[in-house]
Amino acid sequence: MSGDLGDVADRVVGWARDGEAVEIVVGRSRHTEVRAYRGDVESLSAAESMGVGIRVVQGDRQGFAYAGTLDDEVLAETLADARDNAAFATPDPHVGLAEPDGVAVPDIDLFRPSLLAVPTDRKVALALELEAAVLAADPRITGVESAEFVDASGESCVASTTGIRSESASTACYVSVSCLAEADGVTQTGFGFSVGRELDDLVPADAVDDAARRATRLLGATKPASTRTTVVLDPYVTAQVIGVIGSTLSGEAVLKGRSPFADRLGDEVAASIVTLVDDASNPLAYTASATDGEGLASRRTPLIVDGVLRSFVHDSYSARRAGTVSTGNAVRGGFKSTPGAGCRALALEPGDLDQAALLRDVGDGVLISSVIGLHSGVNPVSGDFSTGAEGLRIVDGVEGAPLREFTIASTLPRMLRDVAAVGADVDWLPMRAAGVSLVIRDVTISGT
Amino acid sequence: MIEEAVLGRVLSAALVGGGEFSEVFAEDRRGTTAVFDDGRIEQLSSGRDRGAGVRVIAGDTTGYAHTSDLSEAGLLAAAEAAGAAARHGGGGANVVALERRPTTHPSTVEVLPDDVPKARKVELLRRADDAARSAGGAVSQVSARYGDSRRRILVANSDGLLTSDDQVRTLFSVGVVATGDTGMQTGRQSVGHTIGFELFDRYPVEDLAERAARRAVTKLAARPAPSGEMPVVIGAGGGGVLFHEACGHGLEADLVAKGASVYRDRVGEQVASPLVTLVDDGTVADEWGCFGIDDEGSPARRNVLIEDGVLTDYMWDHTRARREGRPRSGNGRRQSYQHLPMVRMTNTFLLNGTDDPDDIVAGTDQGIYVAQLGGGSVNTATGDFVFGMWEAYLIEDGEITEPLREGNLIGNGPAVLLDIEALGDDFAMGSPGTCGKDGQGVPVGDGVPTLRVRSLTVGGTAA
């Protein structure tokens, strides 16, 4: 179905002049979003987006330009802009496009035609049912902030004069709900979602249960006293923290002197139970895809094995500069940006215990159910880690009173070493990292 | 961008299914970004994006569709899709004849960035790198980014409105890494205004670079931030994000209407210390969050949200104002034509008090002084919010002493507003920001004079 995108890509690649390398990424996506509010459709959006990004390498210089259209005339102008831009870059012998590396592209099917056949009425009904269900889930639930159904299908093609040609298509859909619960005049919030590639994958009841449980269990929350203690991160929180740790393992951050792990390959950087793998070829991952942003095969890269730092992730530029090969980790934010080296689908190797068993082992501590402000209080260069949090006290090995308005703080290198257990409850969330319960010792809680 | 007659036909077609209101929002955006990193100009990139969104309102339902095809056929297809989405309505309104309304833009652009040779843009980056690296041997890495954008928008609706705006923004930022025995530290500084290339006549990039470098180098000697509740002094211009998070978002009428704000049903009440007068103002010339019209065609306005501590009003977009039967406040904004508008802040700032800023520090026994806050986040339903500190120091016996490592601070909006106990007379606007809400980012500005909060929780690791 992406034949016409492939045609566009081939045409632009064919316009390359002698002595220059040209890469094009071309993409098109469609999405529907239905929001329910008070038993009615609050909004229904339907749209198609498309665009191209063109990279030109002339000698040791690279230029880039993009456009949000596939008109032939604009394509030619965009290529000309990218050429013109290249003239202003500082020469760098490592600049260049990816070249086919012989690694087999994994055969993963991320496209479900059934999603395209779902009538709008069914999508509307899903959003309305979701809102009604969360309101009925618990008498303390007083309102719904948002209840929505979203689906999207996308196709893209990366092609270059160096022999790259990769076409892909995928579908995704989710339901997501955020509700308000109230007791004694104080409001708490909770969210839940369910994600899939087609409608049958969705379990709206899970989203409803999560949202209702998250909101109601925080009712009556108080601010804890400052202390140092063991924390258990909920899978959703772990995924966010692992995502930040992943950013410090980018080959680009390492080469440019922005990673606290730069000189640590082969060192024990984490507790021996920590094994961290990046693998976008795993179809369970929300961010799975057969190829990366430069069209190279997605592959499995162990980053930390039994606590020892084994590898960073590379795209073709950082690999060339580091004297190694790409790990298939070129990440791009759509057609409007050039690729950079980054983790794509991280997961911690799970342990043997579910969360309840982990809490029993911990005995006393704090279960962190959500964090806020990772972008403002975590510095992946210095390693300082501080984030706002909500959660539950862990008392005698079980969930206790709810807590709010406190922070948890440590440093990223210390947290990796202080990991005491990884749960068995792997959850593939709509993020670049999988969730799993994680126990970390000796974290500072700041409250009263 | 689109002929008037075509707009009229598209607005009518959108109402065929029974909608009461239709709107076309068209946008043409062009921009250039240049990135310097690791001692070299990595890349210059340029982009263009053009398209239109059609919105139809029927009862309480909004239908929306967008397209990058600005031909009449493309727009009619979007109108049909948006109209179908809102088909539950029973209205069947007619389109009032379009009348063009002139726009007064608060800023005057002297030099369009598009008219400036690319070589001059990348030259700024080299100068910033030189300046940052000459700030000392501890500086180990420098990145600098130049960005300009020109966003032309057109809004037409079935009430007969036809208006447009031309928004030019120019931005420059510098990030520095310093390395020492204690590891690595970072410093950042940015400047951005809704003006053209003349930005650099007013703000030399060397000053930015030196500030970013000094921030990083100073932090090499920083100790871990303390933990627990303590007085916090925030420096002029460095702390507007505090109010953006502590109450700005909570005063957005869409969140208020859904019961997702701690400030619901509180207009007329004392919600803050009597020292606090908070304004949201899209008309402040040149500031990052200013514009001629919002993304629904309403002229930018100055709105007093809190006056002497009393909540005077919320911020409004078309949908919420229409439902409440009141005027809009010029706060209906969207990231691009691919998004529905919602209630957003513009430039949100606290007016001056009367205290001498030096006295505010001297009157603080033990606490911290935050010269520059980082980003922040809020849960508007509970009022709990956090913000990061990029540059902070201990205050001991009324004096600013040692630098602190980074961390978040956490507080509860309504409690913190009542806890503002000193307010300086040295107001300054802060750095340009991008405010995120529901996945959409829009440019916003903020500003504060020096102030002291009686108690906030500092999220460090030290006792």
Side-chain angles (χ1 to χ4, degrees), chain B residues 80-95:
Chain B
E80 192 184 336
R87 70 181 178 280
H88 307 292
N94 292 316
V95 176

Side-chain angles (χ1 to χ4, degrees), chain B residues 250-449:
Chain B
L251 300 179
E252 295 166 343
D254 48 355
L255 296 170
V256 172
K258 290 189 169 181
S261 167
V262 278
Y263 299 101
R264 69 184 184 273
D265 300 329
R266 298 202 60 190
V267 170
E269 290 181 24
Q270 188 86 34
V271 297
S273 147
L275 298 174
V276 173
T277 293
L278 183 75
V279 174
D280 181 85
D281 188 350
T283 72
V284 191
D286 305 348
E287 287 306 329
W288 192 238
C290 85
F291 44 76
I293 54 168
D294 71 5
D295 301 323
E296 303 179 308
S298 298
R301 274 182 37 159
R302 180 178 198 270
N303 297 293
V304 177
L305 305 175
I306 296 174
E307 190 162 19
D308 302 329
V310 176
L311 179 58
T312 49
D313 201 359
Y314 304 119
M315 290 169 276
W316 303 83
D317 64 0
H318 174 270
T319 304
R320 294 296 155 189
R322 180 173 168 268
R323 227 166 266 178
E324 304 280 327
R326 53 149 292 147
R328 312 182 216 174
S329 61
N331 291 95
R333 306 181 67 189
R334 52 184 130 198
Q335 180 176 311
S336 80
Y337 75 89
Q338 301 188 358
H339 301 87
L340 267 172
M342 57 182 156
V343 187
R344 305 303 297 263
M345 285 174 259
T346 62
N347 302 296
T348 313
F349 48 88
L350 206 59
L351 299 191
N352 255 336
T354 54
D355 294 322
D356 180 331
D358 293 338
D359 291 347
I360 296 178
V361 174
T364 309
D365 231 20
Q366 300 289 320
I368 67 167
Y369 176 82
V370 189
Q372 180 63 54
L373 300 182
S377 305
V378 62
N379 178 335
T380 57
T382 65
D384 288 349
F385 70 102
V386 296
F387 52 85
M389 41 183 187
W390 280 359
E391 183 182 348
Y393 304 84
L394 270 185
I395 299 177
E396 297 170 292
D397 300 326
E399 287 193 21
I400 293 172
T401 59
E402 289 180 72
L404 299 173
R405 296 179 71 104
E406 284 178 40
N408 264 318
L409 283 80
I410 191 163
N412 183 262
V416 167
L417 289 187
L418 291 166
D419 261 1
I420 309 286
E421 56 176 13
L423 195 62
D425 57 5
D426 56 344
F427 174 84
M429 286 300 285
S431 302
T434 298
C435 168
K437 178 177 173 183
D438 260 0
Q440 292 191 45
V442 297
V444 295
D446 62 45
V448 283

Side-chain angles (χ1 to χ4, degrees), chain A residues 205-294:
Chain A
D206 285 355
V208 169
D209 290 349
D210 282 351
R213 186 176 45 87
R214 284 193 168 109
T216 54
R217 75 177 179 177
L218 279 173
L219 287 170
T222 57
K223 186 169 181 167
S226 302
T227 184
R228 268 173 121 92
T229 188
T230 299
V231 297
V232 179
L233 307 184
D234 249 350
Y236 185 70
V237 175
T238 302
Q240 294 174 72
V241 172
I242 293 300
V244 176
I245 288 171
S247 71
T248 68
L249 302 179
S250 142
E252 193 172 325
V254 168
L255 288 164
K256 291 180 174 174
R258 290 199 181 90
S259 167
F261 298 105
D263 303 320
R264 306 293 307 277
L265 273 185
D267 289 358
E268 205 164 303
V269 298
S272 60
I273 51 167
V274 173
T275 290
L276 179 67
V277 173
D278 185 71
D279 185 5
S281 70
N282 180 350
L284 290 173
Y286 181 77
T287 49
S289 68
T291 54
D292 76 350
E294 293 183 305

Side-chain angles (χ1 to χ4, degrees), chain A residues 66-263:
Chain A
Y66 70 85
T69 172
L70 303 184
D71 292 349
D72 242 19
E73 192 182 325
V74 177
L75 290 176
E77 286 171 21
T78 306
L79 175 61
D81 282 349
R83 262 184 201 132
D84 188 46
N85 289 340
F88 295 93
T90 311
D92 177 345
H94 306 297
V95 154
L97 303 177
E99 299 193 2
D101 60 2
V103 176
V105 174
D107 182 19
I108 50 177
D109 181 16
L110 308 171
F111 185 83
R112 304 280 185 279
S114 74
L115 188 63
L116 306 188
V118 178
T120 304
D121 284 349
R122 179 83 189 97
K123 302 175 189 180
V124 168
L126 267 168
L128 293 173
E129 287 161 18
L130 186 71
E131 192 204 21
V134 79
L135 279 171
D138 189 294
R140 293 167 295 176
I141 291 176
T142 53
V144 176
E145 213 177 328
S146 71
E148 61 184 5
F149 168 87
V150 174
D151 65 21
S153 63
E155 33 181 337
S156 68
C157 178
V158 183
S160 74
T161 50
T162 52
I164 295 287
R165 199 171 188 291
S166 145
E167 288 186 69
S168 60
S170 64
T171 54
C173 57
Y174 65 85
V175 288
S176 151
V177 61
S178 169
C179 69
L180 308 165
E182 204 175 309
D184 303 322
V186 179
T187 301
Q188 291 295 342
T189 59
F191 67 92
F193 51 79
S194 175
V195 180
R197 301 213 176 271
E198 61 189 326
L199 223 52
D200 285 350
D201 295 338
L202 299 182
V203 189
D206 285 355
V208 169
D209 290 349
D210 282 351
R213 186 176 45 87
R214 284 193 168 109
T216 54
R217 75 177 179 177
L218 279 173
L219 287 170
T222 57
K223 186 169 181 167
S226 302
T227 184
R228 268 173 121 92
T229 188
T230 299
V231 297
V232 179
L233 307 184
D234 249 350
Y236 185 70
V237 175
T238 302
Q240 294 174 72
V241 172
I242 293 300
V244 176
I245 288 171
S247 71
T248 68
L249 302 179
S250 142
E252 193 172 325
V254 168
L255 288 164
K256 291 180 174 174
R258 290 199 181 90
S259 167
F261 298 105
D263 303 320

